[in-house]
Amino acid sequence: MGTTSRQALIKRLIGAIIFLGVAFTLTGAVPTIEIAWVTSILLFTIYLFVFEIVEVDVAAICIMVLLGLTSMIGPLFGIKQPFVPAQHLFDGFASNAVISIIAVMIIGKGLDKTGVMNVVAGTILKHGGSTEKRIIPLISTTVAIISSFMQNVGAAALFLPVVSRISARSGLPLSRLLMPMGFCAILGGTVTMVGSSPLILLNDLITTSNQALPPGQKMSAFHLFSAAPIGIALVATGVIYFVLFGRFVLPVTKTEGTVGTNTMRYFQDIYGIDYSMFEVEVPFDSPLVGLMLDDVEGSSHIRVIATHRKNKETRVGPGALARDLGIEAGMVMAILASPHDVEMFVTKYGLKKHPYLKDFGEVLASTRSGVAEVVIPPGSQLIGKSARDVWMRKTYGLAMVALHRRGETLREGEDIRNLPLEAGDTLVVHTTWESLARQEKSRDFVVVTSEYPHEETRPQKVGYALLFFLVALGLVLFSDMRLSISLLTGAIGMVVSGVMNIDEAYEAVSWKTVFLLASLIPLGMAVENTGTAAWIAQQTLALLGDVPVWVIQAALATLATFFTLVMSNVGATVLLVPLAVNLALAAGADPAVFALTVAIATSNSFLIPTHQVNALLMGPGGYRVADFMRAGGIMTILFLVVEMLMMNLVF
């Protein structure tokens, strides 16, 4: 056993001893055996999550099964009723939240397949460049605004493919972008009274509480933007936190969906080709104007991959570029070459080099194109012919940048396009993945590169995708229909209209997320049904004694934060709002403010991935529980501090 494994085992054993000690201590302090058992199961769940004994979804399923087994083994320990009735144990799989997540994943995938998300990603990259400090605020603020008017998990799921595209095109790890986006989606839900379920529910709870209050103490309902100052301050805090401290708290993980993003690095390692992609613009007074590509590519050791002229379409792929293409003033060119050769080329012809792929960020994204290997097989009709003879770039969409023959790699500038091709030659080419997929069916090439995006896109279906997205959004915002039904309307519309087929819809769903959330819902039911949550709240507040009003308010916010980590935020709100109203009246404070404090604090769910948004992002981001504890721990404290300051300033 290695040192790392031994240290991990020791930590787990120490953690187990601590958690067992706490559980046994609580057994003697709780009023009923049911509360003792549920508290122990709750501690066991936290232990499994913190020390990652098994995958988080497996841990959640184990807890669900354990709750189910109590109906059989409970009577042996004096437990008369199961913590969760057997007929309700799997209600989580049909819950409004889980069905909504499934539907919104399908909607997001449909928008992605038609290219909508590429356009959004391109817009963000155009204004944000390719640096974390500029991209994170743009993504996070945009998602927070959307999240303030729709369910935060819906906003996060719809933006997940956008962030994936941005990661692929900017080279930034997906794990560095998803967590800020997810946290700000949660924070955005506090800006308006329709941004999260607890705030939607709050006015109903106030109406219920008013029935028991005398006329002089009745509370007024909150309007749409009552919480806006607090919510905006929380969103700003989240954005500033990640901009200033993101490099310290955000992980760099290997994530799903990164195929095609590192092909350039692979060829640099294998063939020693230090090429990168650059974008240059031709000024009106450049001596390059009037020349053809063939006049400059070989002598300058560069390869032009794509061109763009103002108000005209971008030229890339088969039939688009040829060596006799004339270079015009104002033309923008995408060049694949070594940094040194590009600098020489730019200096010689007085060109303007862009800091990043501004015009070609979309068409040359790693999800759509890249560097690949193809081999000339025996029997190929290209044997004996050169790349120049067959106009390879124009005919096949393969821009050859190197040729590997008998252990030697020849590059651009070494006359590789005039060399007659031989059987066994390996061509290093830049191509669109669509063109490469076409060559897999050709007898003239053997495509060696296999790990590249083969996914079919359907830009012709963009109208249907947008229509059903707007239908779903309209039902969410302007009808009283359940969120799950509203979103499923959009999801099934995309399937029926051919935006995607049903198999693709199933593949769009992160089943790890579904099982994690659905399996945790019974635990929340057990915590509520047995009175465990109420007992924890009472004991916490009893410890406070005679303290200032703001301390009681802060204690309520802290309690809401704890409960929302282990049960639904709606359940935490329903449980704590009546308690908050009674405490406020006893302390001479405003009960409506205390109720709002609880409803906002139930969004303070960053420490472990039990919130729907965090669970959604855990798989795609490659996150571990420890990643959430590191970044979310600080965010949790900041949330409480900012909420309390703003609540007391505003109210």
Side-chain angles (χ1 to χ4, degrees):
M1 182 183 294
T3 304
T4 304
S5 300
R6 190 179 296 111
Q7 290 175 346
L9 179 60
I10 292 172
K11 287 181 180 179
R12 290 176 178 179
L13 289 174
I14 294 173
I17 293 170
I18 294 172
F19 275 86
L20 283 172
V22 174
F24 280 120
T25 302
L26 288 174
T27 302
V30 297
T32 67
I33 190 171
E34 287 81 6
I35 293 179
W37 270 91
V38 171
T39 304
S40 299
I41 293 174
L42 189 59
L43 288 170
F44 180 55
T45 305
I46 297 172
Y47 169 71
L48 290 178
F49 277 11
V50 171
F51 291 95
E52 298 179 297
I53 306 301
V54 292
E55 295 289 332
V56 287
D57 52 332
V58 177
I61 295 171
C62 289
I63 295 301
M64 180 179 64
V65 172
L66 180 60
L67 290 170
L69 291 175
T70 57
S71 61
M72 180 180 70
I73 64 175
L76 300 176
F77 297 94
I79 301 172
K80 297 178 181 179
Q81 297 291 332
F83 302 139
V84 180
Q87 65 269 28
H88 296 297
L89 189 64
F90 303 109
D91 284 1
F93 290 94
S95 68
N96 185 59
V98 170
I99 298 300
S100 298
I101 285 177
I102 291 173
V104 84
M105 287 177 182
I106 295 172
I107 291 174
K109 186 67 173 180
L111 293 172
D112 192 33
K113 286 189 74 68
T114 56
V116 173
M117 294 310 190
N118 265 331
V119 174
V120 176
T123 302
I124 291 176
L125 277 174
K126 186 174 182 179
H127 294 92
S130 57
T131 61
E132 279 186 21
K133 287 194 174 183
R134 294 185 65 184
I135 287 180
I136 286 178
L138 273 174
I139 294 175
S140 301
T141 305
T142 303
V143 173
I145 293 171
I146 295 172
S147 179
S148 65
F149 292 98
M150 67 181 293
Q151 292 291 304
N152 43 36
V153 66
L158 288 175
F159 242 72
L160 178 57
V162 174
V163 179
S164 298
R165 299 290 185 187
I166 290 172
S167 171
R169 287 163 55 172
S170 66
L172 296 173
L174 188 57
S175 59
R176 307 281 291 184
L177 303 178
L178 278 184
M179 191 175 287
M181 184 270 282
F183 281 17
C184 286
I186 297 173
L187 295 171
T190 64
V191 174
T192 71
M193 298 302 290
V194 297
S196 65
S197 297
L199 289 173
I200 293 173
L201 183 64
L202 182 59
N203 281 334
D204 290 339
L205 294 175
I206 286 177
T207 301
T208 302
S209 296
N210 279 340
Q211 296 175 4
L213 296 178
Q217 294 181 330
K218 291 186 184 297
M219 297 173 283
S220 300
F222 291 100
H223 60 76
L224 182 62
F225 294 106
S226 293
I230 298 98
I232 292 171
L234 289 171
V235 170
T237 300
V239 172
I240 294 170
Y241 167 56
F242 282 113
V243 169
L244 296 181
F245 302 104
R247 58 196 179 106
F248 303 112
V249 299
L250 291 173
V252 178
T253 62
K254 183 179 180 182
T255 60
E256 304 169 9
T258 57
V259 174
T261 60
N262 292 314
T263 55
M264 202 78 75
R265 187 174 303 166
Y266 165 78
F267 288 100
Q268 288 172 352
D269 295 339
I270 297 298
Y271 296 107
I273 302 173
D274 60 340
Y275 286 2
S276 296
M277 191 71 70
F278 300 91
E279 183 174 294
V280 300
E281 185 175 341
V282 183
F284 286 86
D285 57 350
S286 171
L288 204 58
V289 176
L291 299 180
M292 295 185 296
L293 296 184
D294 200 38
D295 296 329
V296 296
E297 285 185 308
S299 59
S300 299
H301 298 188
I302 63 162
R303 194 72 164 129
V304 177
I305 303 300
T307 62
H308 173 76
R309 289 179 294 171
K310 192 173 183 180
N311 299 325
K312 295 186 179 180
E313 69 175 324
T314 299
R315 300 173 66 99
V316 63
L321 286 183
R323 60 177 181 263
D324 59 355
L325 178 69
I327 300 173
E328 303 176 10
M331 178 181 283
V332 181
M333 300 186 294
I335 295 174
L336 186 62
S338 70
H340 175 266
D341 288 332
V342 169
E343 289 298 334
M344 296 289 290
F345 180 61
V346 167
T347 301
K348 180 178 179 180
Y349 292 103
L351 307 178
K352 178 183 178 182
K353 188 174 76 169
H354 293 171
Y356 59 93
L357 295 186
K358 180 180 178 183
D359 290 300
F360 301 106
E362 172 61 29
V363 296
L364 297 182
S366 60
T367 51
R368 299 185 65 176
S369 66
V371 181
E373 292 168 294
V374 296
V375 173
I376 304 298
S380 171
Q381 297 180 13
L382 302 182
I383 294 176
K385 300 176 182 177
S386 68
R388 182 180 291 274
D389 292 335
V390 298
W391 295 67
M392 186 173 291
R393 177 171 48 188
K394 181 178 181 179
T395 306
Y396 300 101
L398 306 177
M400 187 167 63
V401 295
L403 186 151
H404 188 74
R405 174 181 293 173
R406 292 188 288 273
E408 183 182 3
T409 300
L410 304 175
R411 310 183 187 189
E412 182 67 43
E414 297 182 71
D415 209 27
I416 56 175
R417 278 177 282 156
N418 285 318
L419 291 177
L421 298 173
E422 300 177 3
D425 282 350
T426 298
L427 311 184
V428 180
V429 299
H430 188 282
T431 179
T432 62
W433 301 133
E434 183 181 359
S435 299
L436 190 63
R438 195 177 300 119
Q439 302 314 318
E440 287 189 340
K441 304 173 185 178
S442 171
R443 295 182 180 181
D444 293 328
F445 301 101
V446 172
V447 177
V448 178
T449 301
S450 58
E451 293 188 1
Y452 66 92
H454 292 71
E455 185 179 2
E456 178 190 358
T457 57
R458 301 187 181 104
Q460 73 277 10
K461 295 286 186 178
V462 66
Y464 287 111
L466 288 174
L467 170 64
F468 286 108
F469 167 66
L470 292 174
V471 166
L473 187 61
L475 290 174
V476 169
L477 295 178
F478 305 114
S479 77
D480 296 328
M481 195 177 294
R482 282 173 68 86
L483 180 66
S484 54
I485 299 174
S486 300
L487 293 173
L488 272 177
T489 302
I492 197 64
M494 290 197 175
V495 174
V496 172
S497 64
V499 173
M500 65 175 71
N501 58 47
I502 191 63
D503 291 330
E504 291 169 335
Y506 290 142
E507 291 172 1
V509 179
S510 171
W511 296 106
K512 181 185 182 78
T513 300
V514 170
F515 274 85
L516 172 61
L517 291 177
S519 301
L520 282 176
I521 286 175
L523 178 60
M525 294 169 62
V527 170
E528 291 183 64
N529 295 343
T530 59
T532 303
W535 176 78
I536 293 173
Q538 292 167 2
Q539 294 301 309
T540 303
L541 293 172
L543 290 173
L544 294 176
D546 186 17
V547 293
V549 171
W550 71 267
V551 176
I552 298 175
Q553 189 179 7
L556 278 170
T558 305
L559 267 179
T561 298
F562 170 73
F563 282 151
T564 198
L565 294 175
V566 296
M567 61 191 291
S568 72
N569 50 11
V570 170
T573 305
V574 171
L575 177 75
L576 290 177
V577 164
L579 181 63
V581 170
N582 290 324
L583 281 172
L585 292 173
D590 186 341
V593 173
F594 270 44
L596 182 61
T597 300
V598 168
I600 291 177
T602 52
S603 292
N604 190 9
S605 185
F606 309 105
L607 199 57
I608 54 178
T610 51
H611 191 282
Q612 298 163 7
V613 171
N614 293 336
L616 172 72
L617 304 180
M618 191 165 186
Y623 297 123
R624 299 178 301 115
V625 174
D627 297 326
F628 282 98
M629 295 185 72
R630 181 170 58 252
I634 300 173
M635 189 68 242
T636 298
I637 296 171
L638 289 174
F639 188 107
L640 288 171
V641 171
V642 172
E643 181 192 8
M644 292 307 302
L645 285 174
M646 292 302 299
M647 289 293 298
N648 284 280
L649 284 174
V650 175
F651 298 103

